[in-house]
Amino acid sequence: MATMIFVNLPVKDIEAAKAFWVKLGYSFNPQFSDDKTGCLVISDTIFAMLMTEARFRDFATKEVADATKTTEVMLALSADSRDQVDEVLGAALAAGATEPRPAQDLGFMYGRAFEDLDGHVWEYVWMDPAAVQG
């Protein structure tokens, strides 16, 4: 069985967070979602557990970071093409995200980032397969 990853993130408004990600074309696993939690399906092995701050505190032993003021983590996801990077960022911006910095274009690698409604930083990156293999 492949190793799966579940990234747990606190959100202020679970319904707004779910609606944001649905606008980007993602879905939620209803088996692990309720009025306090949303299991965002990124792939067969990658999930983000979005939780109300109160629910997140049930698991956290430290103060919960305010991602609008501090960088808690930068989550990077691969994209199949430069166009896909731009498409995802366009959808995110239209859904209310902000773009914290200009695109990074290194020729063999292209990436852009957005901050979601709660300030979590998500990066989408395309890498030229020939450059990766060579």
Side-chain angles (χ1 to χ4, degrees):
M1 181 171 156
T3 299
M4 296 188 291
I5 185 169
F6 293 84
V7 176
N8 298 283
L9 297 171
V11 300
K12 295 195 182 315
D13 181 334
I14 191 66
E15 295 307 320
K18 288 177 183 178
F20 173 84
W21 286 101
V22 167
K23 289 176 185 173
L24 273 65
Y26 289 93
S27 64
F28 286 84
N29 181 332
Q31 184 178 3
F32 300 108
S33 301
D34 57 28
D35 63 337
K36 297 176 186 165
T37 307
C39 180
L40 172 64
V41 179
I42 297 171
S43 77
D44 291 342
T45 58
I46 304 170
F47 307 87
M49 296 299 295
L50 308 179
M51 300 179 209
T52 62
E53 289 179 349
R55 181 67 177 137
F56 188 85
R57 282 188 184 92
D58 290 339
F59 300 98
T61 58
K62 298 179 186 177
E63 183 178 337
V64 177
D66 180 346
T68 64
K69 296 178 182 176
T70 63
T71 302
E72 63 184 342
V73 67
M74 289 184 285
L75 304 155
L77 298 170
S78 63
D80 292 332
S81 67
R82 296 169 69 96
D83 287 342
Q84 186 184 27
V85 170
D86 290 335
E87 288 168 11
V88 171
L89 263 287
L93 296 172
T98 59
E99 191 167 11
R101 60 174 164 74
Q104 294 180 323
D105 190 347
L106 304 175
F108 68 94
M109 185 171 72
Y110 176 72
R112 291 177 67 187
F114 69 83
E115 292 183 10
D116 68 17
L117 302 179
D118 290 281
H120 306 295
V121 179
W122 295 83
E123 296 181 343
Y124 282 76
V125 179
W126 167 82
M127 291 178 278
D128 181 353
V132 173
Q133 294 173 8

Coordinates of all heavy atoms in Angstrom, one line a residue, residues 5-6 15 17 21 29 32 47-48 60 65 72 77 79 83 93 106 119 122 128 130-131:
I5 N -0.5 10.9 2.6 CA -0.2 12.1 3.5 C -1.6 12.8 3.7 O -2.4 13.0 2.8 CB 0.8 13.0 2.9 CG1 1.2 14.1 3.9 CG2 0.4 13.5 1.5 CD1 2.4 14.9 3.5
F6 N -1.7 13.2 5.0 CA -2.9 14.0 5.4 C -2.3 15.2 6.1 O -1.8 15.2 7.2 CB -3.8 13.2 6.4 CG -4.5 12.0 5.8 CD1 -3.8 10.8 5.7 CD2 -5.8 12.1 5.4 CE1 -4.4 9.7 5.2 CE2 -6.4 11.0 4.8 CZ -5.7 9.8 4.7
E15 N -17.2 26.1 5.7 CA -18.0 26.0 4.5 C -17.3 26.9 3.4 O -17.4 26.6 2.2 CB -19.4 26.5 4.8 CG -20.2 25.5 5.7 CD -20.1 24.0 5.1 OE1 -20.2 23.8 3.9 OE2 -20.0 23.1 6.0
A17 N -14.1 27.5 3.1 CA -12.9 26.8 2.7 C -13.3 25.7 1.7 O -12.7 25.5 0.6 CB -12.2 26.2 3.9
W21 N -12.2 25.4 -2.5 CA -11.5 24.3 -3.2 C -12.4 23.7 -4.2 O -11.9 23.2 -5.3 CB -11.0 23.3 -2.1 CG -9.8 23.9 -1.4 CD1 -9.8 24.4 -0.2 CD2 -8.5 24.0 -1.9 NE1 -8.6 24.9 0.1 CE2 -7.7 24.6 -0.9 CE3 -7.9 23.6 -3.1 CZ2 -6.4 24.8 -1.1 CZ3 -6.6 23.8 -3.3 CH2 -5.8 24.5 -2.3
N29 N -14.0 14.1 0.5 CA -14.4 12.8 0.9 C -15.5 12.9 2.0 O -15.2 13.3 3.1 CB -13.3 11.9 1.4 CG -13.7 10.5 1.7 OD1 -14.8 10.3 2.1 ND2 -12.7 9.6 1.6
F32 N -15.1 11.5 5.6 CA -14.3 12.1 6.6 C -14.5 13.6 6.7 O -13.6 14.4 7.1 CB -12.8 11.8 6.3 CG -12.5 10.3 6.3 CD1 -12.2 9.7 5.1 CD2 -12.5 9.6 7.5 CE1 -12.0 8.3 5.1 CE2 -12.2 8.3 7.5 CZ -12.0 7.6 6.3
F47 N -4.1 14.2 0.9 CA -5.4 14.8 1.4 C -5.0 16.0 2.3 O -4.0 16.0 2.9 CB -6.2 13.8 2.2 CG -6.4 12.5 1.5 CD1 -5.5 11.5 1.5 CD2 -7.6 12.3 0.7 CE1 -5.7 10.3 0.8 CE2 -7.8 11.1 0.0 CZ -6.9 10.1 0.1
A48 N -5.9 17.0 2.3 CA -5.8 18.0 3.3 C -7.0 18.0 4.2 O -8.1 18.1 3.7 CB -5.6 19.4 2.6
A60 N -4.0 19.9 18.5 CA -2.8 20.7 18.6 C -2.4 20.8 20.1 O -3.2 21.0 20.9 CB -2.9 22.0 18.0
A65 N -1.1 28.7 14.7 CA -0.5 29.9 13.9 C -1.6 30.6 13.1 O -2.6 29.9 12.6 CB 0.5 29.4 13.0
E72 N 3.4 29.3 8.2 CA 3.4 28.1 9.0 C 4.0 26.9 8.1 O 4.7 26.1 8.6 CB 2.0 27.7 9.4 CG 1.1 27.4 8.2 CD -0.3 27.2 8.5 OE1 -0.7 26.8 9.7 OE2 -1.1 27.3 7.6
L77 N 2.5 21.5 -4.8 CA 1.9 20.4 -5.6 C 2.5 20.5 -7.1 O 2.6 21.6 -7.6 CB 0.4 20.5 -5.6 CG -0.2 20.4 -4.2 CD1 -1.7 20.7 -4.3 CD2 -0.1 19.0 -3.7
A79 N 2.4 20.1 -11.2 CA 1.4 20.3 -12.2 C 1.9 19.6 -13.5 O 3.1 19.4 -13.6 CB 1.2 21.8 -12.5
D83 N 0.8 25.6 -18.4 CA -0.6 26.0 -18.6 C -1.5 25.6 -17.4 O -2.3 26.4 -16.9 CB -1.2 25.5 -19.9 CG -0.7 26.2 -21.1 OD1 -0.1 27.3 -21.0 OD2 -0.8 25.6 -22.2
L93 N -7.4 32.7 -7.8 CA -7.5 34.1 -7.6 C -9.0 34.5 -7.8 O -9.5 35.4 -7.1 CB -6.6 34.8 -8.6 CG -5.1 34.6 -8.4 CD1 -4.3 35.2 -9.5 CD2 -4.7 35.2 -7.1
L106 N 12.2 29.4 -14.2 CA 13.6 29.1 -14.3 C 13.9 28.3 -15.6 O 14.9 27.7 -15.8 CB 14.1 28.2 -13.1 CG 13.8 28.8 -11.8 CD1 14.2 27.9 -10.7 CD2 14.6 30.1 -11.6
G119 N -4.9 32.1 4.4 CA -3.5 32.5 4.4 C -2.5 31.4 4.2 O -1.3 31.6 4.2
W122 N 0.0 27.8 -1.0 CA 0.0 26.7 -1.9 C 0.8 27.0 -3.1 O 0.5 28.1 -3.7 CB -1.5 26.3 -2.3 CG -2.3 25.9 -1.1 CD1 -2.9 26.7 -0.2 CD2 -2.6 24.5 -0.7 NE1 -3.6 25.9 0.7 CE2 -3.4 24.6 0.4 CE3 -2.2 23.3 -1.2 CZ2 -3.8 23.4 1.1 CZ3 -2.6 22.2 -0.6 CH2 -3.4 22.2 0.5
D128 N 10.2 20.5 -16.2 CA 10.4 19.9 -17.5 C 10.9 18.4 -17.3 O 12.0 18.3 -16.7 CB 11.4 20.7 -18.3 CG 11.7 20.1 -19.7 OD1 11.2 19.0 -20.0 OD2 12.4 20.7 -20.5
A130 N 12.3 16.3 -19.2 CA 13.7 16.1 -19.7 C 14.8 16.6 -18.8 O 15.8 16.1 -18.6 CB 13.8 16.8 -21.1
A131 N 14.5 17.8 -18.2 CA 15.5 18.4 -17.2 C 15.6 17.5 -16.0 O 16.7 17.4 -15.4 CB 15.1 19.8 -16.9

